[in-house]
């Protein structure tokens, strides 16, 4: 798998990244698998063996990344049939897969039933009835958990906040007991758990604590109703330090849940995405144009909002560093932009850079929701993806070609 070898004595990532740029061009996402191992182990050690990490595939669904997580023993949190397909291709154990999401199609539910996944995280009465009906048809029993909306404010960007009453996610607390009772009556369902997910990029543990309190109150109420659950799934959401923010450790985060859930004899499940993979990724790009206009400098890169949508969509700030430069001048403030025809295609605002055309830049912490949210907007081929393990790298996904971009359209254009 790791075809190209780099000097194993060297700790210098710059040289390795330059080799990658030389071998695979720009723009290229690079994922350091050892960083994922480190993050995974930090969770695993804090959690203990009986508990389960279900990596949120949506953050980065590259097959080499998934295969690496399989090798670490990870389970998976999926939100589509496509994600289940990827997990199975990567050799993942369906018995460690939980299926989240507010809208699962019949086809996706049948696929998951056939694969015998660990659990469906159910978000409505309608979905509960549908899973029961399809399980009867397929001759299977579906393990289910109800995703509760605990109505807590995650204090994060509104687009990635999910645990408030007004959000589309989860079942309101007041309806939960009734739905658990209904689940007990419907055919071919086995009630095994409860779950919640309050949002993403949380930098404070308070909201997780509030969510746990509410989930535990529900577990308690269910016990008086004679319903005994096996697991509590607290979702994902722990943030990372994009710009040197202070963040609670993974151990502190797990510390909130572990003891109290163990005291009930239940299994703790978490669904981290970003906190496992964001820091492993950087995006190599090349400066293709420097444009000075009316006292303002725009550095135009060959990377754009189609490669990393996060700055345009959330105003996210990813650190930028210079990987290779011929420039001998002092850094000057500039906006780093892409070639896409939208003003939103600004990758970083007012950052000091000393670069010339042809120089190489690195955008940091793009291992989560980077390539995963990339698109062909402006008919731009999607970037290559490379993985590093130790001091070796290999191509995980080749850069898209023009042929790839028209492959799904009418054949008469393809002659
Ligand atoms: N579980 C469920 C049910 C989720 O909806 C999510 C993320 C996760 C787990 C993983 O959350 P994490 O640990 O990664 O925070 N595109 C956005 C993030 C969207 C998160 C959506 N749900 C971004 O780039 O910031």
């Amino acid at each position: 798998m790791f075809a190209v070898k780099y000097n194993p004595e060297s700790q210098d990532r710059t040289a390795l990244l330059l080799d990658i740029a030389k071998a695979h061009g720009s723009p290229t996402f690079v994922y350091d698998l050892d960083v994922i191992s480190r993050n995974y182990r930090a969770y695993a050690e804090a959690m203990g063996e009986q508990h389960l990490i279900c990596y949120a595939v949506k953050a980065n669904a590259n097959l080499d990344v998934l295969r690496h997580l399989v090798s670490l023993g990870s389970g998976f949190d999926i939100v589509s049939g496509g994600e289940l397909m990827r997990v199975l291709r990567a050799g993942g154990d369906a018995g460690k897969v939980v299926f989240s999401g507010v809208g699962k199609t019949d086809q996706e539910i049948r696929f998951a039933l056939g694969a015998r996944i660990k659990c469906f995280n159910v978000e409505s009465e309608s979905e509960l009835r549908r899973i029961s009906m399809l399980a009867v048809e397929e001759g299977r029993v579906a393990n289910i958990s109800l995703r509760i909306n605990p109505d807590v404010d995650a204090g994060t960007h509104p687009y990635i906040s999910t645990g408030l009453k007004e959000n589309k996610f989860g079942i309101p607390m007041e309806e939960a007991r009734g739905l658990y009772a209904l689940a007990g009556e419907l055919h071919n369902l086995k009630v095994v758990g409860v779950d919640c997910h309050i949002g993403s990029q949380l930098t404070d543990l308070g909201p997780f604590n509030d969510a746990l309190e509410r989930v535990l109150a529900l577990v308690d109420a269910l016990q008086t109703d004679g319903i005994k659950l096996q697991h509590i799934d607290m979702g994902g959401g722990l943030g990372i330090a994009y710009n040197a923010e202070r963040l609670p450790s993974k151990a502190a985060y797990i510390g909130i849940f572990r003891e109290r859930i163990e005291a009930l004899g239940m299994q703790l499940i978490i669904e981290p995405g970003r906190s496992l993979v964001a820091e492993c990724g950087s995006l190599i790009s090349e400066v293709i144009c420097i444009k000075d206009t009316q006292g303002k400098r725009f550095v135009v890169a060959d990377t754009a909002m189609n490669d990393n949508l996060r700055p345009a969509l959330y105003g996210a700030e990813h650190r930028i560093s210079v990987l290779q430069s011929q420039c001998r001048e002092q850094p000057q403030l500039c906006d780093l932009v892409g070639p896409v025809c939208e003003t939103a295609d600004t990758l970083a605002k007012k950052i000091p850079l000393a670069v010339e055309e042809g120089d190489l830049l690195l955008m940091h912490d793009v291992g989560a929701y980077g390539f995963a949210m990339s698109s062909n907007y402006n008919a731009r081929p999607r970037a290559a993806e490379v993985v590093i393990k130790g001091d070796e790298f290999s191509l995980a996904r080749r850069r898209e070609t023009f042929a790839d971009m028209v492959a799904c359209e009418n054949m008469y254009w393809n002659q």
Side-chain angles (χ1 to χ4, degrees):
M1 171 186 169
F2 293 92
V4 185
K5 194 147 175 62
Y6 181 70
N7 176 10
E9 305 297 310
S10 167
Q11 291 301 306
D12 185 1
R13 283 304 191 219
T14 304
L16 183 58
L17 290 164
L18 285 172
D19 280 355
I20 293 171
K22 205 162 163 194
H24 298 296
S26 169
T28 294
F29 283 89
V30 182
Y31 309 129
D32 187 337
L33 298 182
D34 297 333
V35 174
I36 301 180
S37 305
R38 205 174 58 217
N39 287 331
Y40 184 88
R41 291 199 182 108
Y43 274 129
E45 277 159 25
M47 286 175 83
E49 289 205 339
Q50 69 274 37
H51 304 301
L52 183 63
I53 300 169
C54 288
Y55 165 65
V57 176
K58 63 171 77 72
N60 185 329
N62 180 278
L63 290 173
D64 278 7
V65 169
L66 296 183
R67 190 158 38 227
H68 184 65
L69 281 152
V70 170
S71 78
L72 295 170
S74 188
F76 297 92
D77 165 49
I78 58 162
V79 288
S80 70
E83 287 190 352
L84 178 55
M85 175 276 292
R86 283 184 167 272
V87 168
L88 297 178
R89 286 239 179 153
D93 175 0
K96 291 186 188 173
V97 169
V98 298
F99 192 171
S100 301
V102 69
K104 305 174 182 74
T105 67
D106 287 7
Q107 205 184 8
E108 288 173 325
I109 293 168
R110 285 186 207 276
F111 181 23
L113 284 169
R116 298 177 192 273
I117 63 163
K118 178 178 171 71
C119 185
F120 289 86
N121 291 345
V122 178
E123 299 218 14
S124 63
E125 177 177 342
S126 159
E127 186 189 334
L128 193 64
R129 290 183 183 279
R130 187 171 289 259
I131 293 175
S132 160
M133 183 189 84
L134 294 170
V136 170
E137 277 181 32
E138 298 288 324
R140 292 277 158 90
V141 172
N143 290 332
I144 63 115
S145 152
L146 294 190
R147 175 171 175 179
I148 303 307
N149 183 328
D151 193 23
V152 297
D153 186 355
T156 181
H157 191 286
Y159 289 4
I160 52 176
S161 192
T162 51
L164 279 174
K165 236 197 254 173
E166 67 250 34
N167 300 136
K168 69 179 173 183
F169 299 99
I171 292 159
M173 229 23 165
E174 311 78 63
E175 293 170 25
R177 275 173 94 169
L179 273 197
Y180 271 105
L182 175 66
E185 288 163 17
L186 292 172
H187 292 294
N188 294 45
L189 296 184
K190 185 171 177 213
V191 177
V192 293
V194 59
D195 65 282
C196 69
H197 170 77
I198 56 174
S200 199
Q201 184 54 17
L202 275 78
T203 52
D204 172 21
L205 295 180
F208 290 118
N209 211 16
D210 296 347
L212 178 70
E213 292 299 343
R214 292 181 196 180
V215 169
L216 290 179
L218 175 64
V219 169
D220 197 44
L222 291 174
Q223 252 163 7
T224 55
D225 296 346
I227 298 168
K228 175 107 183 68
L229 306 179
Q230 296 167 14
H231 74 241
I232 296 181
D233 175 346
M234 292 303 299
L238 185 62
I240 67 137
Y242 283 104
N243 287 291
E245 300 93 328
R246 276 183 69 82
L247 268 138
S249 69
K250 293 180 178 61
Y253 164 78
I254 295 301
I256 299 183
F257 311 129
R258 180 170 170 179
E259 225 171 89
R260 299 187 69 189
I261 292 178
E262 274 178 4
L264 296 169
M266 296 171 78
Q267 182 186 41
L268 164 65
I269 299 178
I270 55 166
E271 304 168 355
R274 186 192 319 266
S275 54
L276 282 178
V277 298
E279 296 153 333
C280 87
S282 9
L283 176 56
I284 298 172
S285 59
E286 185 179 328
V287 175
I288 51 176
C289 176
I290 299 214
K291 181 172 173 180
D292 289 310
T293 49
Q294 298 181 339
K296 188 163 182 182
R297 168 163 283 202
F298 292 99
V299 173
V300 189
D302 62 354
T303 297
M305 63 188 286
N306 75 298
D307 299 301
N308 181 10
L309 185 59
R310 302 195 70 258
L313 191 56
Y314 313 115
E317 292 177 1
H318 287 262
R319 278 180 302 121
I320 308 287
S321 62
V322 176
L323 178 59
Q324 184 182 51
S325 174
Q326 306 298 329
C327 182
R328 297 286 164 261
E329 286 163 22
Q330 288 301 309
Q332 60 173 292
L333 283 188
C334 47
D335 281 8
L336 178 65
V337 300
V340 162
C341 302
E342 297 213 23
T343 301
D345 187 25
T346 299
L347 302 167
K349 278 190 190 136
K350 292 197 181 131
I351 54 165
L353 279 179
V355 285
E356 287 178 2
E357 292 173 5
D359 287 348
L360 294 176
L361 298 174
L362 265 191
M363 185 183 279
H364 295 262
D365 303 322
V366 295
Y369 308 109
F371 187 92
M373 295 203 298
S374 68
S375 76
N376 290 128
Y377 188 39
N378 277 209
R380 292 168 50 85
R382 268 177 297 181
E385 292 176 290
V386 165
V387 289
I388 302 178
K389 200 172 182 186
D391 286 308
E392 297 175 358
F393 67 87
S394 74
L395 184 63
R397 189 185 202 269
R398 64 167 171 77
R399 183 178 313 290
E400 280 179 352
T401 61
F402 286 173
D404 291 331
M405 288 200 294
V406 293
C408 299
E409 295 178 44
N410 290 322
M411 282 312 290
Y412 51 75
W413 296 113
N414 276 319
Q415 282 157 13

